[in-house]
Amino acid sequence: MLPLSGERKDAKGIISEKLDSGDVIRGSSTLKRGFAHMLKNGVVMDVTNVEQAKIAEEAGAVSVMVLDKLPSDVRKAGGVARTASIRIIEEIMDSVTIPVMAKCRIGHVNEALVLQETDVDMIDESEVLTPADELRHIWKWDMTTPVVNGARSLAEALRRIEEGAAMIRTKGEPGTGNVAEAITHIKKVNDELRTIKSMYDSGDNQDLVRMAREFKVSYDIVEQTAKLGRLPVVNFAAGGIATPADAAYLMSLGCDGIFVGSGIFAADDAAERARAIVLATTFWNEADKVKEAQKMIDERQSMLGLDVKTLELRMQDRGGSA
């Protein structure tokens, strides 16, 4: 079990309430990170309406992520992508029993507060939507609702965790049906984790200080992460996952679970593909089960993948310098 330490005494998101049974604390780091732990080994599916949310729940998704448009449609539509309709979010919350998440724009504090007031279970400060602030992410310690952030490297992940993120996901390249970038990101994070772990194990504190400066984070979080040999929060994979084999491969690289969006509902066999990806994520280390999951889908019904190298819009780059 990963430690759930990392509380800040000045965190404004912690709320203490008195009930008949005693004091109740909401918004603590332990609770927010603990919620993410409850989703481990599961699949979170992007949905845009009640029908899709019900398909996701029936397929075994541990949560749904509500958007106005799927990432592939955001890419096609262009313009400014904002948080989903609150009415749609509430309809989905009333229709399913699994946790409901929703996306806000990077740096858009008030979109996040609106989602918090809507009582979503987790907020995704997402590069899929058009960033409101390219230089500053939301200070998530002031949020009572847990927040997940994307990252392409260990440095990005640790910066988001220092801001209060309760969960990290590799960004991949959303809406492409091409898993290559998600694989690149988790392998990069793993390589960098091994590097700082070796520094810690050898007692090389000076190099850990150097890495903290390079990552633009505190020494304490680098030391804690190096000691663990992995991120101090749950880390899911995301971006371009379209098949059960994609999901199983990312789980084999050390991911705690999967976010999948356009790969399901942009395909012609959404219900079967959703069940297959859940099956492959759960039994990723059993090749016969992954084979059965792969047989449940028809490659001819998969979404058309995009070559990431030729894209004009690379969503993964949004907010990356912050």
Side-chain angles (χ1 to χ4, degrees), residues 6 9 45 50 55 62 78 106 120 135 152 167 179 182 187 194 202 205 208 220 239 266 269 275-276:
K9 294 181 180 179
M45 297 184 189
V50 169
I55 290 173
V62 294
I106 291 174
V120 298
L135 299 178
R152 299 168 298 170
M167 182 180 185
V179 77
K187 285 188 172 182
R194 282 190 288 269
S202 64
N205 295 333
L208 286 178
D220 287 345
D269 54 355
R275 287 195 293 270

Side-chain angles (χ1 to χ4, degrees), residues 68-69 74 78-83 104-105 111 128-131 318:
D68 179 52
K69 294 181 282 290
V74 170
V80 176
R82 308 178 185 89
T83 196
C104 73
R105 285 177 274 180
E111 270 191 354
V128 169
L129 307 184
T130 308
R318 291 166 157 177

Side-chain angles (χ1 to χ4, degrees), residues 2-207:
L2 293 176
L4 297 176
S5 60
E7 205 67 79
R8 287 182 63 102
K9 294 181 180 179
D10 62 346
K12 297 178 182 178
I14 300 176
I15 296 174
S16 178
E17 299 174 324
K18 285 191 176 295
L19 297 177
D20 293 340
S21 57
D23 293 337
V24 174
I25 301 294
R26 294 192 296 118
S28 69
S29 181
T30 299
L31 286 173
K32 290 191 285 190
R33 294 187 185 191
F35 172 73
H37 273 266
M38 293 170 63
L39 305 176
K40 286 176 67 174
N41 300 309
V43 179
V44 179
M45 297 184 189
D46 287 351
V47 300
T48 61
N49 54 49
V50 169
E51 181 184 1
Q52 290 179 354
K54 288 182 176 179
I55 290 173
E57 182 176 34
E58 291 169 4
V62 294
S63 179
V64 292
M65 177 75 71
V66 186
L67 301 90
D68 179 52
K69 294 181 282 290
L70 293 173
S72 57
D73 295 326
V74 170
R75 190 177 292 282
K76 292 174 185 175
V80 176
R82 308 178 185 89
T83 196
S85 163
I86 299 302
R87 178 181 57 80
I88 296 296
I89 293 172
E90 290 179 337
E91 286 179 1
I92 290 173
M93 290 170 64
D94 290 339
S95 302
V96 298
T97 59
I98 56 178
V100 175
M101 305 181 184
K103 292 182 183 290
C104 73
R105 285 177 274 180
I106 291 174
H108 204 311
V109 177
N110 280 73
E111 270 191 354
L113 290 173
V114 166
L115 293 175
Q116 179 169 278
E117 192 65 24
T118 309
D119 285 333
V120 298
D121 295 286
M122 182 174 268
I123 297 166
D124 186 349
E125 187 181 11
S126 177
E127 66 283 352
V128 169
L129 307 184
T130 308
D133 192 334
E134 286 280 3
L135 299 178
R136 302 167 193 84
H137 283 67
I138 294 167
W139 187 248
K140 289 159 278 286
W141 296 109
D142 290 348
M143 302 294 300
T144 303
T145 303
V147 178
V148 55
N149 276 104
R152 299 168 298 170
S153 65
L154 182 57
E156 284 187 27
L158 294 184
R159 291 201 292 272
R160 302 293 81 83
I161 293 168
E162 278 209 317
E163 294 165 355
M167 182 180 185
I168 293 294
R169 54 171 173 72
T170 52
K171 287 183 176 181
E173 187 56 49
T176 61
N178 186 341
V179 77
E181 294 300 296
I183 292 169
T184 296
H185 296 165
I186 189 59
K187 285 188 172 182
K188 180 177 175 62
V189 170
N190 287 342
D191 286 346
E192 291 169 333
L193 284 167
R194 282 190 288 269
T195 297
I196 64 169
K197 175 66 172 173
S198 66
M199 292 175 184
Y200 179 86
D201 289 344
S202 64
D204 192 348
N205 295 333
Q206 188 172 8
D207 257 358

Side-chain angles (χ1 to χ4, degrees), residues 158 162 199-200 203-213 216-226:
L158 294 184
E162 278 209 317
M199 292 175 184
Y200 179 86
D204 192 348
N205 295 333
Q206 188 172 8
D207 257 358
L208 286 178
V209 170
R210 179 179 62 82
M211 295 306 294
R213 290 171 178 165
K216 301 178 183 177
V217 295
S218 68
Y219 173 81
D220 287 345
I221 195 169
V222 173
E223 182 185 40
Q224 180 189 11
T225 304

